[in-house]
Amino acid sequence: MTESDRSAMDAGWRLRLATAKDLDGLHALGCKPQVYRYLFDAAPPSRQFIADRIAQSIVDQNRTGLGMWLLLQDGSALCAGCVELRSYPAPRCAELTYLLDPVHWGRGLGARMAWTAITQAFMSAQIDTVIAGADRPNAASFAVMRRLGMRFHKAVRYPLGDGAEYVLHREDTGPKPPPALIPLR
Ligand SMILES: CC(C)(COP(=O)(O)OP(=O)(O)OC[C@H]1O[C@@H](n2cnc3c(N)ncnc32)[C@H](O)[C@@H]1OP(=O)(O)O)[C@@H](O)C(=O)NCCC(=O)NCCS
């Protein structure tokens, strides 16, 4: 595929802050088995769980500049993905999570969403470190972390078993080359 084919295919993507009106779309996405397999400990999330996450993200947006962004494509009302930055229990640290509709996997969108969110995080004077974690078998998630230039931080234990956290600090080199940013609007 040429660069111009790829640009045409990827045209029209944007990220916008989540609102309470996004509950149905985000819940439907979270209930896809390939999405919840590792992200929600192998069970579809409840509507209340998603509603609470959105509500918390709205509080975070106003307080810290962190939050949740939905991936949308011009001409479609469907929620294609989501990237979230939320408080992490360490000073000046944010936790990154990302999920994408499986129909869009393998086109670089996961890395682009995540890199756009990290760029936002480091624009905040309150955040110096971004951390992401995944279950050990979640090869796609670790591949995204490595693509972003994140490094192994520590082993962790999740409900499904062993996992690991990766980290990126503000002063790190970051991804080479950096994934293209997705417009925030
Ligand atoms: C994780 C996820 C967002 C990745 O999305 P994606 O758009 O397919 O990923 P990208 O196309 O941006 O790929 C980024 C890199 O990871 C690699 N990669 C993607 N999926 C992979 C897989 N299953 N195995 C190995 N490498 C993989 C790509 O080749 C690419 O590497 P490169 O740039 O060096 O070529 C997607 O798989 C997903 O939504 N999973 C379910 C939710 C989840 O588990 N989220 C993580 C919890 S934090």
Side-chain angles (χ1 to χ4, degrees):
M1 188 189 302
T2 67
E3 195 51 42
S4 98
D5 289 341
R6 178 177 278 274
S7 309
M9 198 169 82
D10 285 350
W13 289 112
R14 65 195 163 94
L15 286 167
R16 118 165 123 63
L17 284 166
T19 74
K21 291 183 184 160
D22 295 314
L23 174 57
D24 287 340
L26 190 54
H27 183 244
L29 191 52
C31 285
K32 297 198 175 199
Q34 288 161 283
V35 172
Y36 68 66
R37 182 171 175 207
Y38 298 119
L39 191 58
F40 299 121
D41 301 330
S46 69
R47 270 176 69 81
Q48 191 57 50
F49 178 85
I50 298 293
D52 290 346
R53 282 285 276 264
I54 292 175
Q56 184 59 51
S57 80
I58 292 168
V59 173
D60 288 347
Q61 281 156 32
N62 296 329
R63 212 181 46 202
T64 61
L66 303 180
M68 178 190 284
W69 292 265
L70 298 192
L71 181 71
L72 300 160
Q73 193 167 28
D74 291 346
S76 170
L78 291 179
C79 169
C82 174
V83 60
E84 184 181 16
L85 286 167
R86 56 193 177 131
S87 299
Y88 181 90
R92 308 187 60 78
C93 223
E95 180 178 8
L96 172 74
T97 52
Y98 34 80
L99 64 121
L100 188 64
D101 189 319
V103 298
H104 299 302
W105 286 9
R107 291 164 49 185
L109 281 167
R112 290 181 61 194
M113 282 196 306
W115 182 239
T116 305
I118 290 175
T119 302
Q120 284 298 113
F122 289 153
M123 278 181 196
S124 159
Q126 300 177 50
I127 301 297
D128 291 327
T129 302
V130 172
I131 288 189
D135 293 295
R136 278 275 175 219
N138 194 348
S141 188
F142 286 113
V144 168
M145 293 176 211
R146 289 191 199 100
R147 173 67 183 91
L148 297 172
M150 301 180 87
R151 287 174 291 104
F152 177 80
H153 175 51
K154 66 176 181 185
V156 287
R157 185 88 189 155
Y158 290 121
L160 291 185
D162 288 339
E165 287 184 347
Y166 276 54
V167 67
L168 190 73
H169 299 291
R170 179 187 287 280
E171 65 273 14
D172 289 344
T173 317
K176 292 276 178 238
L181 296 174
I182 297 178
L184 295 160
R185 54 188 157 88

